[in-house]
Amino acid sequence: MLGRPSSFRSGSHRAGSGIDGRNLKSRDLKLLGLFSPLLTLVLALSGVFLAQPQPAHANHPPFLAMLAPWPRDLSWTTTGVPGVGSHATQPNYYAYDFNLSRGALVAASHNGTLLDQKFGFDVGGCDDFYLNQANYVVLNRNDGYSTLYAHLKLNSQKANIGDTIYQGRPIGESNATGKVCGSPPDHLHIALESTPCVGCSPVTNSVPISWNDIGQPAQWSVVTSQNRKKFDAKYHTGSTWHISVPNQTWSEVGQWINTGWEVWYFNVTGYSVRLGTTSPVPGHDQHSQIGGAPTGCVYMATNWYQCNRIRPTTDQVDPGQTAWFAFDIRAPSTPGIYDLYLRTVVEGVEWIGDTGVFWRLDVR
Amino acid sequence: MRKAGLVSLRRRSLLIVLVGAVLLAGGVVAVGQTSAQTAQASVYESSAFGFRVDLPAGWRRSDRLSGLMPQSAVLEGQEVFTMRSVADEAKAIEDTEFLMPAFAYTVVVEVYRNPARSSSSQFVAAGIAGKRQGQRAAAATVDGTPGVRVDGGSRYKVSYYVARGPRIYQISYVTANEDAWRPPGADEAALQSILGSLRWVN
């Protein structure tokens, strides 16, 4: 603002030296004298208007493929929305606040790489000098944009810098570190922003967000996350119905997508996902009449991992990837209808994903 | 009619000249106030934390962003140096809840409690003040005291970490991603000169 009159004065000086003074008539000088103040006024006013904060990226389409930043099925209140209160101007204009209480898990809104995090601070309050004390995470989407999660709890980090983070994975816990006003002050501040360059502040101008699950919630609305679970699976393809002769062997491939945020490993306890036999036929964890491990099964011996388990063909299946389960089934010697129901199971943890997926042999 | 019109024109011109003069005078007064606030280079000594820095003309300690934090088990306090006027700083702080734009182009000295007497490199490795992908750490000294310089770390473009007795000092500056946040007249050379001027006083 102060620069405007000053620029004008230097501009006048340049104009004066650029025009040959001998050719100026007194009328011109009078006009210049009359209009200079007017011009000053116009420039000053234009300066006022130019200085008004304009939300950057106002016309940017809302980003999709984002999910609410806390675990699935939990509900929190939207306490801050774009353009209101502490989000009245950039860089926070398009940010949201949710009233996650202290210790509530904060989950990644999208897949990304952990770019920056600070979890060493333990203070917060409404005083301005707390502006610098918020613990935070910056998660890089690797498409030029990142999300910033702020006011997190001391030492509540869940991952390391450079880690690949899948949508839904916890990345910290809510708290009230940094400048937080309101009662209670606990909340999560989240903004989607241009990825900060190296050596730059973690805060850049925010851009509009539209979550796939909660849309663009209004202030004070209570919203429920549909973010990814730790373990989840969705049946993709492979189920078949064969008309078979007795003792005929069929090579099958069932495909399930890892729709959780955790990686499936073949050989890591607590992360091993298999296909397990389930109800109604042959029953939960029961041996099947049309397939099983090479030895030790009650009925049929084929090439399964265990009598009631089929393993994926790869040792690791990342979130979003499809796991292939290759296995043989063999028709018994007695004609009849033989079903095999399979479901994904995290060994020793939980059964996950779709039910009702089966293979059928119609033995004639 | 023509004469009356001329008189009217003269009055109107006089009015415009007067308005213009008032506006210009206002501008001069405003500039004068700013100059008076910031014309002199100065030295700021932090009695709480035992250091002093040279502040170039136009720079001051931010009373609003500096302070002791007795309620924190981690941070003892911070001193913030800015080129923004008090009014401009207040505007930058208004309507925000996190770091920017108030901290753009500031020098920040954060003082951490260090009862375990960790070294500066241990402190950096622990990530208490944050970690950023791609940050670079190298040995450095601050007024003769060995420490660690981190470039491109969390929050700051440059930070020096120094262990002194039961304290760790993080002496940093931050620029900004967007030109819109640059306080008028602020530049990185001034930030670097303030960092380079830091001296321990006890």
Side-chain angles (χ1 to χ4, degrees), chain A residues 86 92 115-117 122 128 130 132 151 196 200 204, chain B residues 64 71-73 95-97 132-133 154 156 177:
Chain A
S86 61
N92 300 310
L115 178 69
D116 187 359
Q117 66 179 7
D122 62 347
D128 293 329
Y130 291 123
N132 195 19
H151 308 305
C200 297
T204 73
Chain B
R64 201 161 174 171
Q71 71 278 40
S72 171
D95 297 336
T96 189
E97 59 184 279
R132 192 196 195 281
Q133 194 175 26
S154 279
Y156 301 114
N177 294 325

mmCIF file with all atom_site columns, all heavy atoms in Angstrom, chain A residues 86 92 115-117 122 128 130 132 151 196 200 204, chain B residues 64 71-73 95-97 132-133 154 156 177:
data_model
loop_
_atom_site.group_PDB
_atom_site.id
_atom_site.type_symbol
_atom_site.label_atom_id
_atom_site.label_alt_id
_atom_site.label_comp_id
_atom_site.label_asym_id
_atom_site.label_entity_id
_atom_site.label_seq_id
_atom_site.pdbx_PDB_ins_code
_atom_site.Cartn_x
_atom_site.Cartn_y
_atom_site.Cartn_z
_atom_site.occupancy
_atom_site.B_iso_or_equiv
_atom_site.pdbx_formal_charge
_atom_site.auth_seq_id
_atom_site.auth_comp_id
_atom_site.auth_asym_id
_atom_site.auth_atom_id
_atom_site.pdbx_PDB_model_num
ATOM 1   N N   . SER A 1 86  ? -10.923 -18.923 10.943 1.00 0.00 ? 86  SER A N   1
ATOM 2   C CA  . SER A 1 86  ? -9.469  -19.002 10.756 1.00 0.00 ? 86  SER A CA  1
ATOM 3   C C   . SER A 1 86  ? -9.104  -19.444 9.343  1.00 0.00 ? 86  SER A C   1
ATOM 4   O O   . SER A 1 86  ? -7.922  -19.560 9.018  1.00 0.00 ? 86  SER A O   1
ATOM 5   C CB  . SER A 1 86  ? -8.854  -19.946 11.785 1.00 0.00 ? 86  SER A CB  1
ATOM 6   O OG  . SER A 1 86  ? -9.373  -21.243 11.627 1.00 0.00 ? 86  SER A OG  1
ATOM 7   N N   . ASN A 1 92  ? -4.827  -20.669 4.301  1.00 0.00 ? 92  ASN A N   1
ATOM 8   C CA  . ASN A 1 92  ? -5.743  -21.649 4.906  1.00 0.00 ? 92  ASN A CA  1
ATOM 9   C C   . ASN A 1 92  ? -7.151  -21.638 4.310  1.00 0.00 ? 92  ASN A C   1
ATOM 10  O O   . ASN A 1 92  ? -8.041  -22.299 4.849  1.00 0.00 ? 92  ASN A O   1
ATOM 11  C CB  . ASN A 1 92  ? -5.858  -21.378 6.411  1.00 0.00 ? 92  ASN A CB  1
ATOM 12  C CG  . ASN A 1 92  ? -4.529  -21.474 7.112  1.00 0.00 ? 92  ASN A CG  1
ATOM 13  O OD1 . ASN A 1 92  ? -3.810  -22.441 6.939  1.00 0.00 ? 92  ASN A OD1 1
ATOM 14  N ND2 . ASN A 1 92  ? -4.175  -20.448 7.868  1.00 0.00 ? 92  ASN A ND2 1
ATOM 15  N N   . LEU A 1 115 ? 6.317   -36.755 3.428  1.00 0.00 ? 115 LEU A N   1
ATOM 16  C CA  . LEU A 1 115 ? 7.293   -35.744 3.027  1.00 0.00 ? 115 LEU A CA  1
ATOM 17  C C   . LEU A 1 115 ? 7.918   -35.028 4.209  1.00 0.00 ? 115 LEU A C   1
ATOM 18  O O   . LEU A 1 115 ? 9.117   -34.743 4.215  1.00 0.00 ? 115 LEU A O   1
ATOM 19  C CB  . LEU A 1 115 ? 6.607   -34.709 2.116  1.00 0.00 ? 115 LEU A CB  1
ATOM 20  C CG  . LEU A 1 115 ? 7.463   -33.547 1.634  1.00 0.00 ? 115 LEU A CG  1
ATOM 21  C CD1 . LEU A 1 115 ? 8.523   -34.023 0.655  1.00 0.00 ? 115 LEU A CD1 1
ATOM 22  C CD2 . LEU A 1 115 ? 6.596   -32.469 0.984  1.00 0.00 ? 115 LEU A CD2 1
ATOM 23  N N   . ASP A 1 116 ? 7.119   -34.718 5.214  1.00 0.00 ? 116 ASP A N   1
ATOM 24  C CA  . ASP A 1 116 ? 7.603   -33.850 6.298  1.00 0.00 ? 116 ASP A CA  1
ATOM 25  C C   . ASP A 1 116 ? 6.743   -34.137 7.521  1.00 0.00 ? 116 ASP A C   1
ATOM 26  O O   . ASP A 1 116 ? 5.520   -34.288 7.394  1.00 0.00 ? 116 ASP A O   1
ATOM 27  C CB  . ASP A 1 116 ? 7.432   -32.394 5.847  1.00 0.00 ? 116 ASP A CB  1
ATOM 28  C CG  . ASP A 1 116 ? 8.041   -31.377 6.810  1.00 0.00 ? 116 ASP A CG  1
ATOM 29  O OD1 . ASP A 1 116 ? 8.582   -31.786 7.857  1.00 0.00 ? 116 ASP A OD1 1
ATOM 30  O OD2 . ASP A 1 116 ? 7.973   -30.175 6.502  1.00 0.00 ? 116 ASP A OD2 1
ATOM 31  N N   . GLN A 1 117 ? 7.383   -34.213 8.668  1.00 0.00 ? 117 GLN A N   1
ATOM 32  C CA  . GLN A 1 117 ? 6.575   -34.354 9.880  1.00 0.00 ? 117 GLN A CA  1
ATOM 33  C C   . GLN A 1 117 ? 7.324   -33.807 11.085 1.00 0.00 ? 117 GLN A C   1
ATOM 34  O O   . GLN A 1 117 ? 8.547   -33.836 11.151 1.00 0.00 ? 117 GLN A O   1
ATOM 35  C CB  . GLN A 1 117 ? 6.147   -35.796 10.130 1.00 0.00 ? 117 GLN A CB  1
ATOM 36  C CG  . GLN A 1 117 ? 7.254   -36.777 10.436 1.00 0.00 ? 117 GLN A CG  1
ATOM 37  C CD  . GLN A 1 117 ? 6.711   -38.190 10.690 1.00 0.00 ? 117 GLN A CD  1
ATOM 38  O OE1 . GLN A 1 117 ? 5.531   -38.474 10.518 1.00 0.00 ? 117 GLN A OE1 1
ATOM 39  N NE2 . GLN A 1 117 ? 7.585   -39.084 11.107 1.00 0.00 ? 117 GLN A NE2 1
ATOM 40  N N   . ASP A 1 122 ? 4.725   -30.014 22.563 1.00 0.00 ? 122 ASP A N   1
ATOM 41  C CA  . ASP A 1 122 ? 3.714   -30.458 23.536 1.00 0.00 ? 122 ASP A CA  1
ATOM 42  C C   . ASP A 1 122 ? 2.836   -29.329 24.042 1.00 0.00 ? 122 ASP A C   1
ATOM 43  O O   . ASP A 1 122 ? 2.205   -29.470 25.072 1.00 0.00 ? 122 ASP A O   1
ATOM 44  C CB  . ASP A 1 122 ? 4.421   -31.138 24.724 1.00 0.00 ? 122 ASP A CB  1
ATOM 45  C CG  . ASP A 1 122 ? 5.358   -30.195 25.460 1.00 0.00 ? 122 ASP A CG  1
ATOM 46  O OD1 . ASP A 1 122 ? 5.651   -29.108 24.928 1.00 0.00 ? 122 ASP A OD1 1
ATOM 47  O OD2 . ASP A 1 122 ? 5.797   -30.545 26.565 1.00 0.00 ? 122 ASP A OD2 1
ATOM 48  N N   . ASP A 1 128 ? -0.744  -16.065 20.090 1.00 0.00 ? 128 ASP A N   1
ATOM 49  C CA  . ASP A 1 128 ? -0.170  -16.087 18.745 1.00 0.00 ? 128 ASP A CA  1
ATOM 50  C C   . ASP A 1 128 ? 1.166   -16.814 18.664 1.00 0.00 ? 128 ASP A C   1
ATOM 51  O O   . ASP A 1 128 ? 1.508   -17.364 17.628 1.00 0.00 ? 128 ASP A O   1
ATOM 52  C CB  . ASP A 1 128 ? -0.001  -14.654 18.236 1.00 0.00 ? 128 ASP A CB  1
ATOM 53  C CG  . ASP A 1 128 ? -1.348  -13.986 18.024 1.00 0.00 ? 128 ASP A CG  1
ATOM 54  O OD1 . ASP A 1 128 ? -2.301  -14.707 17.691 1.00 0.00 ? 128 ASP A OD1 1
ATOM 55  O OD2 . ASP A 1 128 ? -1.432  -12.769 18.210 1.00 0.00 ? 128 ASP A OD2 1
ATOM 56  N N   . TYR A 1 130 ? 1.981   -19.487 19.677 1.00 0.00 ? 130 TYR A N   1
ATOM 57  C CA  . TYR A 1 130 ? 1.824   -20.929 19.438 1.00 0.00 ? 130 TYR A CA  1
ATOM 58  C C   . TYR A 1 130 ? 1.690   -21.268 17.945 1.00 0.00 ? 130 TYR A C   1
ATOM 59  O O   . TYR A 1 130 ? 1.626   -22.443 17.584 1.00 0.00 ? 130 TYR A O   1
ATOM 60  C CB  . TYR A 1 130 ? 0.604   -21.464 20.174 1.00 0.00 ? 130 TYR A CB  1
ATOM 61  C CG  . TYR A 1 130 ? 0.758   -21.487 21.676 1.00 0.00 ? 130 TYR A CG  1
ATOM 62  C CD1 . TYR A 1 130 ? -0.146  -20.814 22.492 1.00 0.00 ? 130 TYR A CD1 1
ATOM 63  C CD2 . TYR A 1 130 ? 1.800   -22.179 22.279 1.00 0.00 ? 130 TYR A CD2 1
ATOM 64  C CE1 . TYR A 1 130 ? -0.023  -20.837 23.872 1.00 0.00 ? 130 TYR A CE1 1
ATOM 65  C CE2 . TYR A 1 130 ? 1.934   -22.196 23.658 1.00 0.00 ? 130 TYR A CE2 1
ATOM 66  C CZ  . TYR A 1 130 ? 1.019   -21.527 24.454 1.00 0.00 ? 130 TYR A CZ  1
ATOM 67  O OH  . TYR A 1 130 ? 1.160   -21.554 25.805 1.00 0.00 ? 130 TYR A OH  1
ATOM 68  N N   . ASN A 1 132 ? 3.712   -21.412 15.789 1.00 0.00 ? 132 ASN A N   1
ATOM 69  C CA  . ASN A 1 132 ? 4.864   -22.191 15.338 1.00 0.00 ? 132 ASN A CA  1
ATOM 70  C C   . ASN A 1 132 ? 4.971   -23.544 16.035 1.00 0.00 ? 132 ASN A C   1
ATOM 71  O O   . ASN A 1 132 ? 5.938   -24.271 15.825 1.00 0.00 ? 132 ASN A O   1
ATOM 72  C CB  . ASN A 1 132 ? 6.125   -21.362 15.628 1.00 0.00 ? 132 ASN A CB  1
ATOM 73  C CG  . ASN A 1 132 ? 7.334   -21.876 14.897 1.00 0.00 ? 132 ASN A CG  1
ATOM 74  O OD1 . ASN A 1 132 ? 7.211   -22.608 13.918 1.00 0.00 ? 132 ASN A OD1 1
ATOM 75  N ND2 . ASN A 1 132 ? 8.513   -21.522 15.373 1.00 0.00 ? 132 ASN A ND2 1
ATOM 76  N N   . HIS A 1 151 ? -1.884  -29.864 14.267 1.00 0.00 ? 151 HIS A N   1
ATOM 77  C CA  . HIS A 1 151 ? -2.295  -29.879 15.684 1.00 0.00 ? 151 HIS A CA  1
ATOM 78  C C   . HIS A 1 151 ? -2.206  -31.283 16.274 1.00 0.00 ? 151 HIS A C   1
ATOM 79  O O   . HIS A 1 151 ? -2.970  -31.645 17.161 1.00 0.00 ? 151 HIS A O   1
ATOM 80  C CB  . HIS A 1 151 ? -3.710  -29.305 15.889 1.00 0.00 ? 151 HIS A CB  1
ATOM 81  C CG  . HIS A 1 151 ? -3.910  -27.955 15.278 1.00 0.00 ? 151 HIS A CG  1
ATOM 82  N ND1 . HIS A 1 151 ? -3.102  -26.887 15.573 1.00 0.00 ? 151 HIS A ND1 1
ATOM 83  C CD2 . HIS A 1 151 ? -4.817  -27.502 14.375 1.00 0.00 ? 151 HIS A CD2 1
ATOM 84  C CE1 . HIS A 1 151 ? -3.503  -25.830 14.886 1.00 0.00 ? 151 HIS A CE1 1
ATOM 85  N NE2 . HIS A 1 151 ? -4.526  -26.169 14.140 1.00 0.00 ? 151 HIS A NE2 1
ATOM 86  N N   . PRO A 1 196 ? 5.098   -28.341 -0.987 1.00 0.00 ? 196 PRO A N   1
ATOM 87  C CA  . PRO A 1 196 ? 6.131   -27.360 -0.653 1.00 0.00 ? 196 PRO A CA  1
ATOM 88  C C   . PRO A 1 196 ? 7.480   -27.767 -1.247 1.00 0.00 ? 196 PRO A C   1
ATOM 89  O O   . PRO A 1 196 ? 7.851   -28.932 -1.224 1.00 0.00 ? 196 PRO A O   1
ATOM 90  C CB  . PRO A 1 196 ? 6.190   -27.413 0.882  1.00 0.00 ? 196 PRO A CB  1
ATOM 91  C CG  . PRO A 1 196 ? 4.938   -28.095 1.314  1.00 0.00 ? 196 PRO A CG  1
ATOM 92  C CD  . PRO A 1 196 ? 4.547   -29.008 0.204  1.00 0.00 ? 196 PRO A CD  1
ATOM 93  N N   . CYS A 1 200 ? 11.372  -24.753 1.675  1.00 0.00 ? 200 CYS A N   1
ATOM 94  C CA  . CYS A 1 200 ? 10.237  -23.835 1.807  1.00 0.00 ? 200 CYS A CA  1
ATOM 95  C C   . CYS A 1 200 ? 9.387   -24.222 3.009  1.00 0.00 ? 200 CYS A C   1
ATOM 96  O O   . CYS A 1 200 ? 9.523   -25.310 3.560  1.00 0.00 ? 200 CYS A O   1
ATOM 97  C CB  . CYS A 1 200 ? 9.382   -23.861 0.552  1.00 0.00 ? 200 CYS A CB  1
ATOM 98  S SG  . CYS A 1 200 ? 10.263  -23.292 -0.901 1.00 0.00 ? 200 CYS A SG  1
ATOM 99  N N   . THR A 1 204 ? 1.601   -23.973 2.107  1.00 0.00 ? 204 THR A N   1
ATOM 100 C CA  . THR A 1 204 ? 1.455   -23.213 0.864  1.00 0.00 ? 204 THR A CA  1
ATOM 101 C C   . THR A 1 204 ? -0.022  -22.926 0.664  1.00 0.00 ? 204 THR A C   1
ATOM 102 O O   . THR A 1 204 ? -0.856  -23.386 1.447  1.00 0.00 ? 204 THR A O   1
ATOM 103 C CB  . THR A 1 204 ? 2.001   -23.994 -0.351 1.00 0.00 ? 204 THR A CB  1
ATOM 104 O OG1 . THR A 1 204 ? 1.096   -25.063 -0.655 1.00 0.00 ? 204 THR A OG1 1
ATOM 105 C CG2 . THR A 1 204 ? 3.373   -24.587 -0.070 1.00 0.00 ? 204 THR A CG2 1
ATOM 106 N N   . ARG B 2 64  ? 4.957   -10.295 19.765 1.00 0.00 ? 64  ARG B N   1
ATOM 107 C CA  . ARG B 2 64  ? 3.753   -11.116 19.661 1.00 0.00 ? 64  ARG B CA  1
ATOM 108 C C   . ARG B 2 64  ? 4.069   -12.593 19.444 1.00 0.00 ? 64  ARG B C   1
ATOM 109 O O   . ARG B 2 64  ? 3.335   -13.470 19.880 1.00 0.00 ? 64  ARG B O   1
ATOM 110 C CB  . ARG B 2 64  ? 2.916   -10.586 18.491 1.00 0.00 ? 64  ARG B CB  1
ATOM 111 C CG  . ARG B 2 64  ? 1.490   -10.955 18.554 1.00 0.00 ? 64  ARG B CG  1
ATOM 112 C CD  . ARG B 2 64  ? 0.659   -10.055 17.666 1.00 0.00 ? 64  ARG B CD  1
ATOM 113 N NE  . ARG B 2 64  ? -0.707  -10.528 17.637 1.00 0.00 ? 64  ARG B NE  1
ATOM 114 C CZ  . ARG B 2 64  ? -1.704  -9.866  17.101 1.00 0.00 ? 64  ARG B CZ  1
ATOM 115 N NH1 . ARG B 2 64  ? -1.515  -8.682  16.561 1.00 0.00 ? 64  ARG B NH1 1
ATOM 116 N NH2 . ARG B 2 64  ? -2.919  -10.378 17.100 1.00 0.00 ? 64  ARG B NH2 1
ATOM 117 N N   . GLN B 2 71  ? 5.028   -23.951 30.436 1.00 0.00 ? 71  GLN B N   1
ATOM 118 C CA  . GLN B 2 71  ? 4.163   -25.122 30.517 1.00 0.00 ? 71  GLN B CA  1
ATOM 119 C C   . GLN B 2 71  ? 4.627   -26.264 29.624 1.00 0.00 ? 71  GLN B C   1
ATOM 120 O O   . GLN B 2 71  ? 4.044   -27.348 29.636 1.00 0.00 ? 71  GLN B O   1
ATOM 121 C CB  . GLN B 2 71  ? 2.706   -24.748 30.174 1.00 0.00 ? 71  GLN B CB  1
ATOM 122 C CG  . GLN B 2 71  ? 2.438   -24.418 28.724 1.00 0.00 ? 71  GLN B CG  1
ATOM 123 C CD  . GLN B 2 71  ? 2.807   -22.987 28.344 1.00 0.00 ? 71  GLN B CD  1
ATOM 124 O OE1 . GLN B 2 71  ? 3.820   -22.456 28.783 1.00 0.00 ? 71  GLN B OE1 1
ATOM 125 N NE2 . GLN B 2 71  ? 1.998   -22.371 27.513 1.00 0.00 ? 71  GLN B NE2 1
ATOM 126 N N   . SER B 2 72  ? 5.664   -26.013 28.818 1.00 0.00 ? 72  SER B N   1
ATOM 127 C CA  . SER B 2 72  ? 6.157   -27.055 27.911 1.00 0.00 ? 72  SER B CA  1
ATOM 128 C C   . SER B 2 72  ? 7.338   -27.789 28.527 1.00 0.00 ? 72  SER B C   1
ATOM 129 O O   . SER B 2 72  ? 8.255   -27.172 29.065 1.00 0.00 ? 72  SER B O   1
ATOM 130 C CB  . SER B 2 72  ? 6.588   -26.432 26.583 1.00 0.00 ? 72  SER B CB  1
ATOM 131 O OG  . SER B 2 72  ? 7.250   -27.399 25.794 1.00 0.00 ? 72  SER B OG  1
ATOM 132 N N   . ALA B 2 73  ? 7.306   -29.097 28.422 1.00 0.00 ? 73  ALA B N   1
ATOM 133 C CA  . ALA B 2 73  ? 8.444   -29.896 28.888 1.00 0.00 ? 73  ALA B CA  1
ATOM 134 C C   . ALA B 2 73  ? 9.513   -29.990 27.813 1.00 0.00 ? 73  ALA B C   1
ATOM 135 O O   . ALA B 2 73  ? 10.616  -30.485 28.057 1.00 0.00 ? 73  ALA B O   1
ATOM 136 C CB  . ALA B 2 73  ? 7.967   -31.294 29.264 1.00 0.00 ? 73  ALA B CB  1
ATOM 137 N N   . ASP B 2 95  ? -6.698  -14.385 11.216 1.00 0.00 ? 95  ASP B N   1
ATOM 138 C CA  . ASP B 2 95  ? -7.332  -15.390 10.360 1.00 0.00 ? 95  ASP B CA  1
ATOM 139 C C   . ASP B 2 95  ? -6.411  -16.536 9.973  1.00 0.00 ? 95  ASP B C   1
ATOM 140 O O   . ASP B 2 95  ? -6.581  -17.128 8.901  1.00 0.00 ? 95  ASP B O   1
ATOM 141 C CB  . ASP B 2 95  ? -7.876  -14.758 9.068  1.00 0.00 ? 95  ASP B CB  1
ATOM 142 C CG  . ASP B 2 95  ? -8.948  -13.758 9.372  1.00 0.00 ? 95  ASP B CG  1
ATOM 143 O OD1 . ASP B 2 95  ? -9.572  -13.864 10.442 1.00 0.00 ? 95  ASP B OD1 1
ATOM 144 O OD2 . ASP B 2 95  ? -9.155  -12.853 8.545  1.00 0.00 ? 95  ASP B OD2 1
ATOM 145 N N   . THR B 2 96  ? -5.409  -16.837 10.771 1.00 0.00 ? 96  THR B N   1
ATOM 146 C CA  . THR B 2 96  ? -4.627  -18.021 10.462 1.00 0.00 ? 96  THR B CA  1
ATOM 147 C C   . THR B 2 96  ? -4.383  -18.789 11.743 1.00 0.00 ? 96  THR B C   1
ATOM 148 O O   . THR B 2 96  ? -4.531  -18.244 12.830 1.00 0.00 ? 96  THR B O   1
ATOM 149 C CB  . THR B 2 96  ? -3.282  -17.671 9.790  1.00 0.00 ? 96  THR B CB  1
ATOM 150 O OG1 . THR B 2 96  ? -2.680  -18.865 9.324  1.00 0.00 ? 96  THR B OG1 1
ATOM 151 C CG2 . THR B 2 96  ? -2.342  -16.977 10.761 1.00 0.00 ? 96  THR B CG2 1
ATOM 152 N N   . GLU B 2 97  ? -4.063  -20.040 11.625 1.00 0.00 ? 97  GLU B N   1
ATOM 153 C CA  . GLU B 2 97  ? -3.832  -20.839 12.820 1.00 0.00 ? 97  GLU B CA  1
ATOM 154 C C   . GLU B 2 97  ? -2.539  -21.633 12.740 1.00 0.00 ? 97  GLU B C   1
ATOM 155 O O   . GLU B 2 97  ? -2.260  -22.444 13.592 1.00 0.00 ? 97  GLU B O   1
ATOM 156 C CB  . GLU B 2 97  ? -5.008  -21.780 13.077 1.00 0.00 ? 97  GLU B CB  1
ATOM 157 C CG  . GLU B 2 97  ? -5.281  -22.746 11.945 1.00 0.00 ? 97  GLU B CG  1
ATOM 158 C CD  . GLU B 2 97  ? -6.516  -23.616 12.197 1.00 0.00 ? 97  GLU B CD  1
ATOM 159 O OE1 . GLU B 2 97  ? -6.392  -24.596 12.928 1.00 0.00 ? 97  GLU B OE1 1
ATOM 160 O OE2 . GLU B 2 97  ? -7.574  -23.292 11.642 1.00 0.00 ? 97  GLU B OE2 1
ATOM 161 N N   . ARG B 2 132 ? 12.310  -33.691 7.354  1.00 0.00 ? 132 ARG B N   1
ATOM 162 C CA  . ARG B 2 132 ? 11.715  -33.559 6.025  1.00 0.00 ? 132 ARG B CA  1
ATOM 163 C C   . ARG B 2 132 ? 12.505  -34.412 5.049  1.00 0.00 ? 132 ARG B C   1
ATOM 164 O O   . ARG B 2 132 ? 13.740  -34.497 5.152  1.00 0.00 ? 132 ARG B O   1
ATOM 165 C CB  . ARG B 2 132 ? 11.738  -32.099 5.568  1.00 0.00 ? 132 ARG B CB  1
ATOM 166 C CG  . ARG B 2 132 ? 10.882  -31.843 4.331  1.00 0.00 ? 132 ARG B CG  1
ATOM 167 C CD  . ARG B 2 132 ? 11.246  -30.523 3.702  1.00 0.00 ? 132 ARG B CD  1
ATOM 168 N NE  . ARG B 2 132 ? 10.262  -30.040 2.748  1.00 0.00 ? 132 ARG B NE  1
ATOM 169 C CZ  . ARG B 2 132 ? 10.140  -30.461 1.496  1.00 0.00 ? 132 ARG B CZ  1
ATOM 170 N NH1 . ARG B 2 132 ? 10.924  -31.398 1.041  1.00 0.00 ? 132 ARG B NH1 1
ATOM 171 N NH2 . ARG B 2 132 ? 9.218   -29.940 0.691  1.00 0.00 ? 132 ARG B NH2 1
ATOM 172 N N   . GLN B 2 133 ? 11.795  -35.009 4.109  1.00 0.00 ? 133 GLN B N   1
ATOM 173 C CA  . GLN B 2 133 ? 12.452  -35.829 3.099  1.00 0.00 ? 133 GLN B CA  1
ATOM 174 C C   . GLN B 2 133 ? 13.448  -34.963 2.323  1.00 0.00 ? 133 GLN B C   1
ATOM 175 O O   . GLN B 2 133 ? 13.082  -33.869 1.876  1.00 0.00 ? 133 GLN B O   1
ATOM 176 C CB  . GLN B 2 133 ? 11.402  -36.395 2.147  1.00 0.00 ? 133 GLN B CB  1
ATOM 177 C CG  . GLN B 2 133 ? 11.900  -37.509 1.269  1.00 0.00 ? 133 GLN B CG  1
ATOM 178 C CD  . GLN B 2 133 ? 10.777  -38.110 0.421  1.00 0.00 ? 133 GLN B CD  1
ATOM 179 O OE1 . GLN B 2 133 ? 9.796   -37.448 0.122  1.00 0.00 ? 133 GLN B OE1 1
ATOM 180 N NE2 . GLN B 2 133 ? 10.933  -39.352 0.040  1.00 0.00 ? 133 GLN B NE2 1
ATOM 181 N N   . SER B 2 154 ? 12.383  -29.435 8.333  1.00 0.00 ? 154 SER B N   1
ATOM 182 C CA  . SER B 2 154 ? 10.991  -29.098 8.637  1.00 0.00 ? 154 SER B CA  1
ATOM 183 C C   . SER B 2 154 ? 10.869  -27.613 8.976  1.00 0.00 ? 154 SER B C   1
ATOM 184 O O   . SER B 2 154 ? 11.680  -27.081 9.733  1.00 0.00 ? 154 SER B O   1
ATOM 185 C CB  . SER B 2 154 ? 10.519  -29.905 9.855  1.00 0.00 ? 154 SER B CB  1
ATOM 186 O OG  . SER B 2 154 ? 10.157  -31.196 9.472  1.00 0.00 ? 154 SER B OG  1
ATOM 187 N N   . TYR B 2 156 ? 11.784  -24.858 8.168  1.00 0.00 ? 156 TYR B N   1
ATOM 188 C CA  . TYR B 2 156 ? 12.752  -23.808 7.884  1.00 0.00 ? 156 TYR B CA  1
ATOM 189 C C   . TYR B 2 156 ? 13.629  -24.136 6.691  1.00 0.00 ? 156 TYR B C   1
ATOM 190 O O   . TYR B 2 156 ? 13.909  -25.297 6.411  1.00 0.00 ? 156 TYR B O   1
ATOM 191 C CB  . TYR B 2 156 ? 13.647  -23.582 9.102  1.00 0.00 ? 156 TYR B CB  1
ATOM 192 C CG  . TYR B 2 156 ? 12.876  -23.188 10.335 1.00 0.00 ? 156 TYR B CG  1
ATOM 193 C CD1 . TYR B 2 156 ? 12.829  -24.027 11.445 1.00 0.00 ? 156 TYR B CD1 1
ATOM 194 C CD2 . TYR B 2 156 ? 12.180  -21.988 10.383 1.00 0.00 ? 156 TYR B CD2 1
ATOM 195 C CE1 . TYR B 2 156 ? 12.114  -23.671 12.579 1.00 0.00 ? 156 TYR B CE1 1
ATOM 196 C CE2 . TYR B 2 156 ? 11.462  -21.620 11.514 1.00 0.00 ? 156 TYR B CE2 1
ATOM 197 C CZ  . TYR B 2 156 ? 11.434  -22.464 12.609 1.00 0.00 ? 156 TYR B CZ  1
ATOM 198 O OH  . TYR B 2 156 ? 10.724  -22.115 13.718 1.00 0.00 ? 156 TYR B OH  1
ATOM 199 N N   . ASN B 2 177 ? 6.780   -19.805 0.160  1.00 0.00 ? 177 ASN B N   1
ATOM 200 C CA  . ASN B 2 177 ? 6.564   -20.394 -1.158 1.00 0.00 ? 177 ASN B CA  1
ATOM 201 C C   . ASN B 2 177 ? 5.977   -19.393 -2.144 1.00 0.00 ? 177 ASN B C   1
ATOM 202 O O   . ASN B 2 177 ? 6.098   -19.537 -3.326 1.00 0.00 ? 177 ASN B O   1
ATOM 203 C CB  . ASN B 2 177 ? 5.615   -21.572 -1.039 1.00 0.00 ? 177 ASN B CB  1
ATOM 204 C CG  . ASN B 2 177 ? 6.235   -22.685 -0.236 1.00 0.00 ? 177 ASN B CG  1
ATOM 205 O OD1 . ASN B 2 177 ? 7.435   -22.909 -0.315 1.00 0.00 ? 177 ASN B OD1 1
ATOM 206 N ND2 . ASN B 2 177 ? 5.434   -23.362 0.553  1.00 0.00 ? 177 ASN B ND2 1
#
